[in-house]
Amino acid sequence: MTTWIGPDTEGYDDQRALFNAMIDKRPRLIAGCASAADVREALDRAARDGLAVAVRSAGHSVAGQSSNDDGLVVDVRPMTGIEVDVAARRARVGGGCTWGELDAATQQHGLATTGGRVSSTGVTGLTLGGGSGWLERQHGLACDNLLAVELVTADGREIRADESQHQDLLWASRGGGGNFGVVTALELRLHPVGPTILGGLLLWPFDRGAEVARAFRDWADAAPDELGTGLVVISGPPEEFVPAHLQGQPVVAVVVCWNGDHAKGQELVQVMRDLAPEVDLVGPMPYVQLQSMLDDPPGLRQYWSADYHDSFPDGALDVFLEAGARRPSPMTQHLLLPWGGALARVDVDATPLSQRSARWVSHPFATWEDAAADDANIAWVREYRRANAPFTTGGVYLNFIGDEGDERIKAAFGAEKYERLSQIKGEYDPGNVFVGNQNIRPRATV
């Protein structure tokens, strides 16, 4: 049965709160939906009352697209069922599950699929938008492992899209975002992972940044697919494992996720260890622990962006590090992620995503507490992107950005794929009811 929550309902403020504290939207109604029938009821009411619709899973959309003002939010967080078929290596996942919940269920069997780097992220939103994670170079993006999607369309139809039916909708769901309906369940391919992997963090003082960054670039670019990694500028955390002179100071870190033979992984990591990091936390660890290592608590202010790169030359590294040195907030993470591997071997037409051949993604990830610092942190992200522009391809991974306009959406897909997505949107949501996303305008259908 649908749970209705309005401004006068106890707990309304908790229910409407999003991951990004910059977003303070006040929907007229929040419909807690535990089934497809509940979703149909919510959509019927939105149509009757003339209310705009937003769809919420975990609420991690940095632009706040999983809520609205004076509209209706279809909240699928009650849909948390997970069924793991160990023999078939697949999982059926409720539309409201987080990656932490899915990883916990699959790791009981030594299985996982590529998931987000923050455990509280929703499985549905991340997968529909592409699904970048530490396992992507070995097993592709989350959307590459999407086998089926069950959803409710704007006109109340319950549809299952898989390789035998509604193949166009399955294709569109592998990166086209939440444009086509309210997802109630996903089926995902699983792979042997862990449950103990070789993972952790290596950390150097920032004045070693140029040396470490160049070594990292060459090391990561040539690494086997089993290595998931990233270069990140952060502030040294106030933890016992961090030397006192680095706590609160800019540092350069390398994240390691090696899902393979541990001896081979240790040999590979030795290349970076030879640079004498001041903190070395890389060792055998549970995959689920690595998956939550970069978690931020809710209630912080967020502004992110991203760009693709075919290469990352010394000039780009200099721009990256210069921006890292002047982060306005010590909470900000400034990331450089290598792509390639299995991600790049997916057939170009298999999903809506374009520029699979990109080798790198830069990801300025601004996080802060004080509303008075909004302008400074947003300006930092934008200034980095302007300085970084000569080194970019023009493409973008949409899950890493906020609301940056139609041209950025089209750049994520390319003209031909955007046109195909627009036609599919026109078939399943001709009225653009599902506008709370990286929105694809529906092509008029006859």
Side-chain angles (χ1 to χ4, degrees):
M1 179 180 295
T2 308
T3 302
W4 298 101
I5 298 171
D8 297 329
T9 307
E10 184 178 355
Y12 170 76
D13 285 335
D14 289 338
Q15 290 297 311
R16 71 182 179 87
L18 301 177
F19 178 73
N20 184 359
M22 287 185 71
I23 311 300
D24 187 28
K25 294 182 178 179
R26 300 185 64 84
R28 188 184 305 182
L29 281 174
I30 300 171
C33 298
S35 67
D38 292 351
V39 172
R40 288 199 311 273
E41 182 183 3
L43 293 176
D44 284 346
R45 181 156 182 180
R48 280 198 318 270
D49 295 351
L51 299 177
V53 172
V55 182
R56 174 180 182 148
S57 180
H60 266 246
S61 164
V62 70
Q65 293 164 328
S66 45
S67 188
N68 58 29
D69 282 316
D70 201 35
L72 186 147
V73 173
V74 180
D75 188 342
V76 300
R77 281 179 290 176
M79 299 184 192
T80 57
I82 299 173
E83 301 168 14
V84 180
D85 186 331
V86 177
R89 290 184 180 172
R90 62 194 294 159
R92 185 176 186 274
V93 187
C97 289
T98 66
W99 281 104
E101 292 165 339
L102 177 57
D103 287 336
T106 60
Q107 281 289 276
Q108 294 180 38
H109 311 285
L111 299 171
T113 196
T114 305
R117 297 175 176 87
V118 174
S119 64
S120 58
T121 304
V123 174
T124 299
L126 186 108
T127 302
L128 295 180
S132 177
W134 298 124
L135 300 177
E136 63 198 6
R137 299 185 71 255
Q138 187 176 27
H139 296 306
L141 298 169
C143 70
D144 300 329
N145 293 282
L146 179 61
L147 301 172
V149 58
E150 298 171 18
L151 56 75
V152 179
T153 61
D155 58 5
R157 288 177 291 161
E158 293 183 42
I159 290 178
R160 176 184 169 88
D162 54 32
E163 294 293 351
S164 64
Q165 56 191 329
H166 298 286
Q167 295 96 328
D168 58 341
L169 183 56
L170 178 63
W171 178 86
S173 298
R174 289 173 167 161
N179 274 282
F180 310 100
V182 180
V183 171
T184 56
L186 304 170
E187 290 187 15
L188 295 163
R189 182 185 298 110
L190 303 176
H191 308 274
V193 175
T196 299
I197 52 94
L198 184 67
L201 197 71
L202 303 169
L203 189 152
W204 293 261
F206 191 79
D207 60 13
R208 299 279 308 281
E211 174 191 7
V212 171
R214 283 158 174 75
F216 166 82
R217 175 196 57 201
D218 299 340
W219 174 73
D221 196 41
D225 293 355
E226 294 92 332
L227 179 69
T229 185
L231 179 74
V232 55
V233 179
I234 55 175
S235 296
E239 303 286 352
E240 290 184 2
F241 59 79
V242 178
H245 69 280
L246 296 182
Q247 294 183 17
Q249 300 302 309
V251 295
V252 175
V254 170
V255 182
V256 172
C257 175
W258 172 265
N259 183 44
D261 177 77
H262 284 203
K264 184 178 178 181
Q266 293 281 14
E267 182 180 345
L268 181 72
V269 173
Q270 189 61 44
V271 174
M272 296 306 297
R273 282 182 166 143
D274 287 343
L275 295 175
E278 291 203 28
V279 175
D280 182 350
L281 300 177
V282 174
M285 67 186 304
Y287 174 70
V288 292
Q289 181 181 343
L290 179 79
Q291 280 291 83
S292 60
M293 194 167 64
L294 297 181
D295 284 8
D296 278 328
L300 298 175
R301 306 175 81 79
Q302 310 279 346
Y303 188 84
W304 317 333
S305 195
D307 284 288
Y308 287 158
H309 308 261
D310 285 335
S311 63
F312 216 77
D314 288 354
L317 285 173
D318 291 342
V319 169
F320 178 85
L321 292 170
E322 189 277 332
R326 56 179 179 80
R327 295 167 303 132
S329 167
M331 298 178 180
T332 288
Q333 302 174 18
H334 191 29
L335 293 104
L336 178 64
L337 302 169
W339 272 21
L343 184 156
R345 292 193 292 271
V346 174
D347 184 88
V348 67
D349 294 321
T351 75
L353 303 182
S354 67
Q355 298 195 24
R356 289 271 188 161
S357 62
R359 296 293 300 177
W360 300 93
V361 181
S362 58
H363 184 21
F365 190 112
T367 303
W368 67 100
E369 289 185 289
D370 187 357
D374 285 1
D375 289 347
N377 282 276
I378 292 170
W380 174 80
V381 172
R382 292 175 175 172
E383 287 166 6
Y384 170 69
R385 285 201 62 231
R386 282 193 291 269
N388 189 40
F391 306 105
T392 64
T393 68
V396 64
Y397 170 62
L398 291 178
N399 274 351
F400 280 173
I401 74 170
D403 183 3
E404 297 186 9
D406 287 349
E407 292 309 309
R408 287 279 271 171
I409 296 172
K410 292 175 181 177
F413 305 119
E416 185 175 336
K417 289 184 177 182
Y418 183 87
E419 177 62 24
R420 182 178 174 187
L421 287 167
S422 180
Q423 291 173 352
I424 296 170
K425 174 80 167 179
E427 178 179 351
Y428 291 95
D429 183 20
N432 205 12
V433 170
F434 303 113
V435 70
N437 43 53
Q438 300 286 7
N439 194 238
I440 295 164
R441 303 291 188 268
R443 174 70 61 194
T445 56
V446 177

